[in-house]
Amino acid sequence: MLFLMKDRLINLLFSTRLTAILFILYPTAMGFGTFIETWYSTDTAKIWIYNAWWFELLMVFMALNFMGNIFKYRLLRKEKWAVLALHLSFLLILFGAFVTRYFGYEGVMPIREGATERQFLTEKTYLTVYVDGEIEGEPRRKKLEGDLLLSEHVNNEFNWENDFNGQGFNIQYIDYMENATEGLVLDETGERYLKIVEAGDGNRHDHYLKEGEIVNIHNILFTLNKRQEGAINITLKNGLYTIESPFSGQFMRMADQFQGSLEADQEAPLQLRSLYTLPNFQFVIPEPALRGNFDIVKADNPGESQQNALRLEVSSRGETELITLLGGKGVTNDPKQLNVGGLDFYLQFGSLPVELPFAIRLNDFIAEKYPGTESSYASFMSKITVEGEETFDYDIFMNHV
């Protein structure tokens, strides 16, 4: 009876009927994955389809079916070479998918024109936790790290339990938000904040200046109602704003293109919604100061933020603290710190920087658009120089490895 069931199972595994079923299920699953990726996100498609155990099992059955058919239909013959080549090509594709899935390593390497870089950022996102404490009077650190695949459209769940010198602690998942950013939640009882917008690295960044504090933006100090020598001091008094800068510069009011000058160390009326230009720095203050509380919020425009927010609960010795971490693919932020149960925790979420044994300098980046369009690109090309034991130039473009 057992041998009969075994023979039936083998016959089913290598049958033409199963081959047809697999050829229907596999592209159907990939098609649904494409739609899920469009409707939700790439990570959602990975969780539900591409990284799911049943999808991997489907590919295992396909590989076994192809190998079995090679011997069942005696394809290792000269007159069957065409059919044999077709089966071997499918096996090669599945083997390539297996290597990529379990041994491949992906990442991104952002480089600006004229810059040189020797690090890339992992495609996977990681939660990194440093736990600081003392062992026999000596400071010690313990590191925990693991990759996470999360989406706000699925039920994420994880719980890290560990200990430091016998003291147990727990790090538990609470919530996850995609396309998140740090923003001001309006509250009449909250602190007063002034928004400063700059694009020092070519990308827009919003900074919030709290009344009575000093903020460092690209090594330039800003204050609001807290005068500091050498800083750009902004004062709000009786509803009127003034600005005093240690640097001379110009401003341009965006509404009517009116231009004026900013004299160093002289107090002048602050021009809202105007572009201030100082040596090697530009900024805009788009609106009056607002009262509120600073928190993690959804980005108004998903294109503005490539970061996500991971909310965690850290517990130890009966104490519990909540913490929200910003991060995501291609993003590395400084760790956030909190103290729980006498232990210092430093938590970080996002990609990991990986050092390369060589450097790449981007000499020129060329993007060609389709005729008559402004946002659709026909091709990209990067002209680079690889600097290592051997230095050479190379052009990188689509479909050219």
Side-chain angles (χ1 to χ4, degrees), residues 106-139:
E106 298 179 72
V108 295
M109 193 174 185
I111 316 175
R112 300 191 68 81
E113 281 189 348
T116 301
E117 187 61 68
R118 64 181 315 118
Q119 284 186 340
F120 75 91
L121 302 174
T122 59
E123 188 269 342
K124 291 183 178 179
T125 53
Y126 292 79
L127 174 62
T128 304
V129 181
Y130 299 97
V131 188
D132 288 357
E134 291 188 355
I135 299 178
E136 297 180 355
E138 296 291 330

PDB file of all heavy atoms in Angstrom, residues 106-139:
ATOM      1  N   GLU A 106      21.658  42.845  -2.547  1.00  0.00           N
ATOM      2  CA  GLU A 106      21.299  44.013  -3.335  1.00  0.00           C
ATOM      3  C   GLU A 106      21.466  45.283  -2.510  1.00  0.00           C
ATOM      4  O   GLU A 106      21.423  45.251  -1.276  1.00  0.00           O
ATOM      5  CB  GLU A 106      19.843  43.906  -3.796  1.00  0.00           C
ATOM      6  CG  GLU A 106      19.572  42.716  -4.702  1.00  0.00           C
ATOM      7  CD  GLU A 106      18.114  42.653  -5.115  1.00  0.00           C
ATOM      8  OE1 GLU A 106      17.701  43.504  -5.933  1.00  0.00           O
ATOM      9  OE2 GLU A 106      17.391  41.777  -4.621  1.00  0.00           O
ATOM     10  N   GLY A 107      21.622  46.400  -3.215  1.00  0.00           N
ATOM     11  CA  GLY A 107      21.742  47.671  -2.523  1.00  0.00           C
ATOM     12  C   GLY A 107      21.699  48.833  -3.495  1.00  0.00           C
ATOM     13  O   GLY A 107      21.592  48.649  -4.708  1.00  0.00           O
ATOM     14  N   VAL A 108      21.749  50.030  -2.949  1.00  0.00           N
ATOM     15  CA  VAL A 108      21.776  51.248  -3.756  1.00  0.00           C
ATOM     16  C   VAL A 108      23.001  52.059  -3.362  1.00  0.00           C
ATOM     17  O   VAL A 108      23.460  52.012  -2.229  1.00  0.00           O
ATOM     18  CB  VAL A 108      20.490  52.088  -3.558  1.00  0.00           C
ATOM     19  CG1 VAL A 108      19.288  51.353  -4.076  1.00  0.00           C
ATOM     20  CG2 VAL A 108      20.302  52.455  -2.093  1.00  0.00           C
ATOM     21  N   MET A 109      23.518  52.810  -4.334  1.00  0.00           N
ATOM     22  CA  MET A 109      24.727  53.594  -4.107  1.00  0.00           C
ATOM     23  C   MET A 109      24.516  54.990  -4.673  1.00  0.00           C
ATOM     24  O   MET A 109      24.860  55.277  -5.813  1.00  0.00           O
ATOM     25  CB  MET A 109      25.927  52.908  -4.768  1.00  0.00           C
ATOM     26  CG  MET A 109      27.262  53.462  -4.350  1.00  0.00           C
ATOM     27  SD  MET A 109      28.597  52.454  -5.051  1.00  0.00           S
ATOM     28  CE  MET A 109      30.015  53.220  -4.274  1.00  0.00           C
ATOM     29  N   PRO A 110      23.907  55.894  -3.897  1.00  0.00           N
ATOM     30  CA  PRO A 110      23.693  57.251  -4.399  1.00  0.00           C
ATOM     31  C   PRO A 110      25.000  58.041  -4.464  1.00  0.00           C
ATOM     32  O   PRO A 110      25.737  58.103  -3.484  1.00  0.00           O
ATOM     33  CB  PRO A 110      22.726  57.873  -3.373  1.00  0.00           C
ATOM     34  CG  PRO A 110      22.617  56.914  -2.252  1.00  0.00           C
ATOM     35  CD  PRO A 110      23.432  55.726  -2.546  1.00  0.00           C
ATOM     36  N   ILE A 111      25.297  58.609  -5.618  1.00  0.00           N
ATOM     37  CA  ILE A 111      26.501  59.423  -5.805  1.00  0.00           C
ATOM     38  C   ILE A 111      26.107  60.669  -6.600  1.00  0.00           C
ATOM     39  O   ILE A 111      25.444  60.570  -7.633  1.00  0.00           O
ATOM     40  CB  ILE A 111      27.607  58.670  -6.590  1.00  0.00           C
ATOM     41  CG1 ILE A 111      27.768  57.232  -6.093  1.00  0.00           C
ATOM     42  CG2 ILE A 111      28.932  59.413  -6.505  1.00  0.00           C
ATOM     43  CD1 ILE A 111      28.753  56.425  -6.901  1.00  0.00           C
ATOM     44  N   ARG A 112      26.510  61.829  -6.133  1.00  0.00           N
ATOM     45  CA  ARG A 112      26.274  63.055  -6.881  1.00  0.00           C
ATOM     46  C   ARG A 112      27.409  63.280  -7.869  1.00  0.00           C
ATOM     47  O   ARG A 112      28.525  62.782  -7.679  1.00  0.00           O
ATOM     48  CB  ARG A 112      26.151  64.235  -5.923  1.00  0.00           C
ATOM     49  CG  ARG A 112      24.999  64.081  -4.921  1.00  0.00           C
ATOM     50  CD  ARG A 112      24.741  65.373  -4.181  1.00  0.00           C
ATOM     51  NE  ARG A 112      24.204  66.385  -5.054  1.00  0.00           N
ATOM     52  CZ  ARG A 112      22.928  66.464  -5.413  1.00  0.00           C
ATOM     53  NH1 ARG A 112      22.062  65.581  -4.983  1.00  0.00           N
ATOM     54  NH2 ARG A 112      22.504  67.427  -6.211  1.00  0.00           N
ATOM     55  N   GLU A 113      27.125  64.008  -8.942  1.00  0.00           N
ATOM     56  CA  GLU A 113      28.143  64.278  -9.953  1.00  0.00           C
ATOM     57  C   GLU A 113      29.368  64.938  -9.318  1.00  0.00           C
ATOM     58  O   GLU A 113      29.252  65.891  -8.540  1.00  0.00           O
ATOM     59  CB  GLU A 113      27.580  65.182 -11.045  1.00  0.00           C
ATOM     60  CG  GLU A 113      26.721  64.457 -12.046  1.00  0.00           C
ATOM     61  CD  GLU A 113      26.359  65.331 -13.248  1.00  0.00           C
ATOM     62  OE1 GLU A 113      26.587  66.557 -13.178  1.00  0.00           O
ATOM     63  OE2 GLU A 113      25.857  64.787 -14.234  1.00  0.00           O
ATOM     64  N   GLY A 114      30.539  64.398  -9.660  1.00  0.00           N
ATOM     65  CA  GLY A 114      31.792  64.930  -9.144  1.00  0.00           C
ATOM     66  C   GLY A 114      32.202  64.354  -7.804  1.00  0.00           C
ATOM     67  O   GLY A 114      33.328  64.582  -7.355  1.00  0.00           O
ATOM     68  N   ALA A 115      31.300  63.583  -7.153  1.00  0.00           N
ATOM     69  CA  ALA A 115      31.602  63.007  -5.838  1.00  0.00           C
ATOM     70  C   ALA A 115      32.145  61.594  -5.985  1.00  0.00           C
ATOM     71  O   ALA A 115      31.966  60.934  -7.011  1.00  0.00           O
ATOM     72  CB  ALA A 115      30.359  63.009  -4.961  1.00  0.00           C
ATOM     73  N   THR A 116      32.836  61.136  -4.940  1.00  0.00           N
ATOM     74  CA  THR A 116      33.395  59.786  -4.884  1.00  0.00           C
ATOM     75  C   THR A 116      32.802  59.073  -3.680  1.00  0.00           C
ATOM     76  O   THR A 116      32.704  59.643  -2.596  1.00  0.00           O
ATOM     77  CB  THR A 116      34.922  59.829  -4.759  1.00  0.00           C
ATOM     78  OG1 THR A 116      35.471  60.526  -5.878  1.00  0.00           O
ATOM     79  CG2 THR A 116      35.511  58.420  -4.721  1.00  0.00           C
ATOM     80  N   GLU A 117      32.390  57.832  -3.872  1.00  0.00           N
ATOM     81  CA  GLU A 117      31.757  57.065  -2.805  1.00  0.00           C
ATOM     82  C   GLU A 117      32.331  55.660  -2.775  1.00  0.00           C
ATOM     83  O   GLU A 117      32.630  55.085  -3.817  1.00  0.00           O
ATOM     84  CB  GLU A 117      30.241  57.015  -3.038  1.00  0.00           C
ATOM     85  CG  GLU A 117      29.460  56.387  -1.903  1.00  0.00           C
ATOM     86  CD  GLU A 117      29.631  57.135  -0.608  1.00  0.00           C
ATOM     87  OE1 GLU A 117      29.147  58.279  -0.503  1.00  0.00           O
ATOM     88  OE2 GLU A 117      30.281  56.572   0.302  1.00  0.00           O
ATOM     89  N   ARG A 118      32.480  55.095  -1.571  1.00  0.00           N
ATOM     90  CA  ARG A 118      32.953  53.718  -1.446  1.00  0.00           C
ATOM     91  C   ARG A 118      32.058  52.892  -0.520  1.00  0.00           C
ATOM     92  O   ARG A 118      32.453  51.868   0.012  1.00  0.00           O
ATOM     93  CB  ARG A 118      34.408  53.680  -0.989  1.00  0.00           C
ATOM     94  CG  ARG A 118      34.710  54.226   0.368  1.00  0.00           C
ATOM     95  CD  ARG A 118      36.209  54.157   0.679  1.00  0.00           C
ATOM     96  NE  ARG A 118      36.786  52.897   0.318  1.00  0.00           N
ATOM     97  CZ  ARG A 118      37.754  52.759  -0.611  1.00  0.00           C
ATOM     98  NH1 ARG A 118      38.222  53.820  -1.247  1.00  0.00           N
ATOM     99  NH2 ARG A 118      38.247  51.567  -0.891  1.00  0.00           N
ATOM    100  N   GLN A 119      30.827  53.373  -0.306  1.00  0.00           N
ATOM    101  CA  GLN A 119      29.842  52.633   0.467  1.00  0.00           C
ATOM    102  C   GLN A 119      28.555  52.491  -0.332  1.00  0.00           C
ATOM    103  O   GLN A 119      28.237  53.349  -1.147  1.00  0.00           O
ATOM    104  CB  GLN A 119      29.503  53.350   1.777  1.00  0.00           C
ATOM    105  CG  GLN A 119      30.537  53.235   2.859  1.00  0.00           C
ATOM    106  CD  GLN A 119      30.046  53.859   4.157  1.00  0.00           C
ATOM    107  OE1 GLN A 119      29.133  54.670   4.168  1.00  0.00           O
ATOM    108  NE2 GLN A 119      30.660  53.478   5.267  1.00  0.00           N
ATOM    109  N   PHE A 120      27.841  51.395  -0.122  1.00  0.00           N
ATOM    110  CA  PHE A 120      26.496  51.289  -0.652  1.00  0.00           C
ATOM    111  C   PHE A 120      25.553  50.946   0.491  1.00  0.00           C
ATOM    112  O   PHE A 120      25.978  50.498   1.559  1.00  0.00           O
ATOM    113  CB  PHE A 120      26.404  50.271  -1.798  1.00  0.00           C
ATOM    114  CG  PHE A 120      26.435  48.828  -1.366  1.00  0.00           C
ATOM    115  CD1 PHE A 120      25.261  48.149  -1.081  1.00  0.00           C
ATOM    116  CD2 PHE A 120      27.634  48.136  -1.288  1.00  0.00           C
ATOM    117  CE1 PHE A 120      25.287  46.816  -0.698  1.00  0.00           C
ATOM    118  CE2 PHE A 120      27.679  46.798  -0.920  1.00  0.00           C
ATOM    119  CZ  PHE A 120      26.495  46.139  -0.613  1.00  0.00           C
ATOM    120  N   LEU A 121      24.263  51.182   0.282  1.00  0.00           N
ATOM    121  CA  LEU A 121      23.246  50.939   1.294  1.00  0.00           C
ATOM    122  C   LEU A 121      22.439  49.705   0.925  1.00  0.00           C
ATOM    123  O   LEU A 121      22.017  49.551  -0.219  1.00  0.00           O
ATOM    124  CB  LEU A 121      22.324  52.154   1.416  1.00  0.00           C
ATOM    125  CG  LEU A 121      23.016  53.469   1.776  1.00  0.00           C
ATOM    126  CD1 LEU A 121      22.021  54.621   1.718  1.00  0.00           C
ATOM    127  CD2 LEU A 121      23.648  53.389   3.149  1.00  0.00           C
ATOM    128  N   THR A 122      22.213  48.820   1.886  1.00  0.00           N
ATOM    129  CA  THR A 122      21.537  47.555   1.628  1.00  0.00           C
ATOM    130  C   THR A 122      20.101  47.775   1.168  1.00  0.00           C
ATOM    131  O   THR A 122      19.439  48.746   1.563  1.00  0.00           O
ATOM    132  CB  THR A 122      21.518  46.683   2.887  1.00  0.00           C
ATOM    133  OG1 THR A 122      20.839  47.400   3.938  1.00  0.00           O
ATOM    134  CG2 THR A 122      22.930  46.344   3.338  1.00  0.00           C
ATOM    135  N   GLU A 123      19.624  46.869   0.310  1.00  0.00           N
ATOM    136  CA  GLU A 123      18.238  46.924  -0.144  1.00  0.00           C
ATOM    137  C   GLU A 123      17.298  46.532   0.994  1.00  0.00           C
ATOM    138  O   GLU A 123      16.192  47.064   1.101  1.00  0.00           O
ATOM    139  CB  GLU A 123      18.064  45.986  -1.348  1.00  0.00           C
ATOM    140  CG  GLU A 123      16.711  46.077  -2.038  1.00  0.00           C
ATOM    141  CD  GLU A 123      15.707  45.088  -1.466  1.00  0.00           C
ATOM    142  OE1 GLU A 123      16.126  44.119  -0.797  1.00  0.00           O
ATOM    143  OE2 GLU A 123      14.495  45.298  -1.668  1.00  0.00           O
ATOM    144  N   LYS A 124      17.748  45.643   1.861  1.00  0.00           N
ATOM    145  CA  LYS A 124      16.949  45.244   3.017  1.00  0.00           C
ATOM    146  C   LYS A 124      17.033  46.311   4.104  1.00  0.00           C
ATOM    147  O   LYS A 124      18.020  47.035   4.212  1.00  0.00           O
ATOM    148  CB  LYS A 124      17.443  43.908   3.582  1.00  0.00           C
ATOM    149  CG  LYS A 124      17.185  42.708   2.690  1.00  0.00           C
ATOM    150  CD  LYS A 124      17.654  41.432   3.380  1.00  0.00           C
ATOM    151  CE  LYS A 124      17.367  40.202   2.521  1.00  0.00           C
ATOM    152  NZ  LYS A 124      17.833  38.949   3.183  1.00  0.00           N
ATOM    153  N   THR A 125      15.981  46.395   4.896  1.00  0.00           N
ATOM    154  CA  THR A 125      15.980  47.302   6.045  1.00  0.00           C
ATOM    155  C   THR A 125      16.213  46.488   7.313  1.00  0.00           C
ATOM    156  O   THR A 125      15.728  45.358   7.437  1.00  0.00           O
ATOM    157  CB  THR A 125      14.654  48.068   6.149  1.00  0.00           C
ATOM    158  OG1 THR A 125      13.559  47.145   6.137  1.00  0.00           O
ATOM    159  CG2 THR A 125      14.513  49.021   4.972  1.00  0.00           C
ATOM    160  N   TYR A 126      16.945  47.076   8.246  1.00  0.00           N
ATOM    161  CA  TYR A 126      17.346  46.388   9.464  1.00  0.00           C
ATOM    162  C   TYR A 126      16.935  47.196  10.691  1.00  0.00           C
ATOM    163  O   TYR A 126      16.923  48.432  10.667  1.00  0.00           O
ATOM    164  CB  TYR A 126      18.866  46.190   9.503  1.00  0.00           C
ATOM    165  CG  TYR A 126      19.397  45.221   8.474  1.00  0.00           C
ATOM    166  CD1 TYR A 126      19.577  45.609   7.149  1.00  0.00           C
ATOM    167  CD2 TYR A 126      19.729  43.908   8.820  1.00  0.00           C
ATOM    168  CE1 TYR A 126      20.070  44.714   6.208  1.00  0.00           C
ATOM    169  CE2 TYR A 126      20.219  43.023   7.888  1.00  0.00           C
ATOM    170  CZ  TYR A 126      20.394  43.424   6.580  1.00  0.00           C
ATOM    171  OH  TYR A 126      20.879  42.546   5.640  1.00  0.00           O
ATOM    172  N   LEU A 127      16.621  46.490  11.750  1.00  0.00           N
ATOM    173  CA  LEU A 127      16.488  47.094  13.075  1.00  0.00           C
ATOM    174  C   LEU A 127      17.769  46.780  13.837  1.00  0.00           C
ATOM    175  O   LEU A 127      18.112  45.616  14.041  1.00  0.00           O
ATOM    176  CB  LEU A 127      15.269  46.537  13.815  1.00  0.00           C
ATOM    177  CG  LEU A 127      15.113  46.998  15.269  1.00  0.00           C
ATOM    178  CD1 LEU A 127      14.941  48.509  15.346  1.00  0.00           C
ATOM    179  CD2 LEU A 127      13.954  46.280  15.956  1.00  0.00           C
ATOM    180  N   THR A 128      18.478  47.838  14.231  1.00  0.00           N
ATOM    181  CA  THR A 128      19.729  47.695  14.971  1.00  0.00           C
ATOM    182  C   THR A 128      19.531  48.282  16.363  1.00  0.00           C
ATOM    183  O   THR A 128      19.052  49.406  16.506  1.00  0.00           O
ATOM    184  CB  THR A 128      20.881  48.420  14.261  1.00  0.00           C
ATOM    185  OG1 THR A 128      20.997  47.927  12.916  1.00  0.00           O
ATOM    186  CG2 THR A 128      22.196  48.190  14.980  1.00  0.00           C
ATOM    187  N   VAL A 129      19.892  47.500  17.376  1.00  0.00           N
ATOM    188  CA  VAL A 129      19.723  47.926  18.769  1.00  0.00           C
ATOM    189  C   VAL A 129      21.053  47.763  19.494  1.00  0.00           C
ATOM    190  O   VAL A 129      21.659  46.688  19.473  1.00  0.00           O
ATOM    191  CB  VAL A 129      18.632  47.092  19.484  1.00  0.00           C
ATOM    192  CG1 VAL A 129      18.463  47.561  20.922  1.00  0.00           C
ATOM    193  CG2 VAL A 129      17.312  47.173  18.743  1.00  0.00           C
ATOM    194  N   TYR A 130      21.516  48.852  20.126  1.00  0.00           N
ATOM    195  CA  TYR A 130      22.688  48.807  21.002  1.00  0.00           C
ATOM    196  C   TYR A 130      22.195  48.968  22.437  1.00  0.00           C
ATOM    197  O   TYR A 130      21.447  49.906  22.747  1.00  0.00           O
ATOM    198  CB  TYR A 130      23.672  49.925  20.674  1.00  0.00           C
ATOM    199  CG  TYR A 130      24.231  49.870  19.264  1.00  0.00           C
ATOM    200  CD1 TYR A 130      23.665  50.636  18.246  1.00  0.00           C
ATOM    201  CD2 TYR A 130      25.309  49.043  18.950  1.00  0.00           C
ATOM    202  CE1 TYR A 130      24.164  50.591  16.958  1.00  0.00           C
ATOM    203  CE2 TYR A 130      25.820  48.991  17.673  1.00  0.00           C
ATOM    204  CZ  TYR A 130      25.246  49.769  16.674  1.00  0.00           C
ATOM    205  OH  TYR A 130      25.740  49.714  15.394  1.00  0.00           O
ATOM    206  N   VAL A 131      22.607  48.060  23.306  1.00  0.00           N
ATOM    207  CA  VAL A 131      22.222  48.104  24.716  1.00  0.00           C
ATOM    208  C   VAL A 131      23.473  48.370  25.535  1.00  0.00           C
ATOM    209  O   VAL A 131      24.434  47.581  25.504  1.00  0.00           O
ATOM    210  CB  VAL A 131      21.556  46.791  25.161  1.00  0.00           C
ATOM    211  CG1 VAL A 131      20.998  46.925  26.569  1.00  0.00           C
ATOM    212  CG2 VAL A 131      20.447  46.385  24.194  1.00  0.00           C
ATOM    213  N   ASP A 132      23.491  49.486  26.259  1.00  0.00           N
ATOM    214  CA  ASP A 132      24.647  49.876  27.068  1.00  0.00           C
ATOM    215  C   ASP A 132      24.341  49.700  28.549  1.00  0.00           C
ATOM    216  O   ASP A 132      23.248  50.059  29.021  1.00  0.00           O
ATOM    217  CB  ASP A 132      25.021  51.339  26.805  1.00  0.00           C
ATOM    218  CG  ASP A 132      25.643  51.535  25.433  1.00  0.00           C
ATOM    219  OD1 ASP A 132      25.827  50.516  24.719  1.00  0.00           O
ATOM    220  OD2 ASP A 132      25.931  52.684  25.053  1.00  0.00           O
ATOM    221  N   GLY A 133      25.307  49.175  29.261  1.00  0.00           N
ATOM    222  CA  GLY A 133      25.192  48.999  30.707  1.00  0.00           C
ATOM    223  C   GLY A 133      26.556  48.726  31.304  1.00  0.00           C
ATOM    224  O   GLY A 133      27.595  48.943  30.657  1.00  0.00           O
ATOM    225  N   GLU A 134      26.568  48.260  32.540  1.00  0.00           N
ATOM    226  CA  GLU A 134      27.828  47.965  33.222  1.00  0.00           C
ATOM    227  C   GLU A 134      27.870  46.508  33.640  1.00  0.00           C
ATOM    228  O   GLU A 134      26.865  45.930  34.057  1.00  0.00           O
ATOM    229  CB  GLU A 134      27.998  48.864  34.453  1.00  0.00           C
ATOM    230  CG  GLU A 134      28.238  50.321  34.125  1.00  0.00           C
ATOM    231  CD  GLU A 134      28.592  51.132  35.354  1.00  0.00           C
ATOM    232  OE1 GLU A 134      28.563  50.566  36.477  1.00  0.00           O
ATOM    233  OE2 GLU A 134      28.903  52.337  35.211  1.00  0.00           O
ATOM    234  N   ILE A 135      29.055  45.923  33.497  1.00  0.00           N
ATOM    235  CA  ILE A 135      29.335  44.564  33.972  1.00  0.00           C
ATOM    236  C   ILE A 135      30.574  44.651  34.850  1.00  0.00           C
ATOM    237  O   ILE A 135      31.653  45.012  34.377  1.00  0.00           O
ATOM    238  CB  ILE A 135      29.560  43.585  32.804  1.00  0.00           C
ATOM    239  CG1 ILE A 135      28.308  43.515  31.922  1.00  0.00           C
ATOM    240  CG2 ILE A 135      29.919  42.198  33.334  1.00  0.00           C
ATOM    241  CD1 ILE A 135      28.457  42.603  30.718  1.00  0.00           C
ATOM    242  N   GLU A 136      30.380  44.389  36.156  1.00  0.00           N
ATOM    243  CA  GLU A 136      31.464  44.475  37.144  1.00  0.00           C
ATOM    244  C   GLU A 136      32.112  45.850  37.123  1.00  0.00           C
ATOM    245  O   GLU A 136      33.341  45.991  37.168  1.00  0.00           O
ATOM    246  CB  GLU A 136      32.513  43.381  36.899  1.00  0.00           C
ATOM    247  CG  GLU A 136      31.957  41.966  37.054  1.00  0.00           C
ATOM    248  CD  GLU A 136      33.009  40.909  36.798  1.00  0.00           C
ATOM    249  OE1 GLU A 136      34.142  41.281  36.417  1.00  0.00           O
ATOM    250  OE2 GLU A 136      32.711  39.717  37.008  1.00  0.00           O
ATOM    251  N   GLY A 137      31.275  46.878  37.014  1.00  0.00           N
ATOM    252  CA  GLY A 137      31.763  48.245  37.064  1.00  0.00           C
ATOM    253  C   GLY A 137      32.350  48.772  35.779  1.00  0.00           C
ATOM    254  O   GLY A 137      32.730  49.946  35.700  1.00  0.00           O
ATOM    255  N   GLU A 138      32.423  47.945  34.732  1.00  0.00           N
ATOM    256  CA  GLU A 138      32.975  48.354  33.445  1.00  0.00           C
ATOM    257  C   GLU A 138      31.844  48.551  32.426  1.00  0.00           C
ATOM    258  O   GLU A 138      30.935  47.728  32.349  1.00  0.00           O
ATOM    259  CB  GLU A 138      33.959  47.307  32.916  1.00  0.00           C
ATOM    260  CG  GLU A 138      35.195  47.118  33.770  1.00  0.00           C
ATOM    261  CD  GLU A 138      36.112  48.332  33.725  1.00  0.00           C
ATOM    262  OE1 GLU A 138      36.122  49.023  32.684  1.00  0.00           O
ATOM    263  OE2 GLU A 138      36.798  48.596  34.723  1.00  0.00           O
ATOM    264  N   PRO A 139      31.893  49.654  31.660  1.00  0.00           N
ATOM    265  CA  PRO A 139      30.854  49.854  30.641  1.00  0.00           C
ATOM    266  C   PRO A 139      30.951  48.804  29.534  1.00  0.00           C
ATOM    267  O   PRO A 139      32.040  48.513  29.040  1.00  0.00           O
ATOM    268  CB  PRO A 139      31.152  51.263  30.118  1.00  0.00           C
ATOM    269  CG  PRO A 139      32.600  51.507  30.424  1.00  0.00           C
ATOM    270  CD  PRO A 139      32.887  50.756  31.692  1.00  0.00           C
TER     271      PRO A 139
END
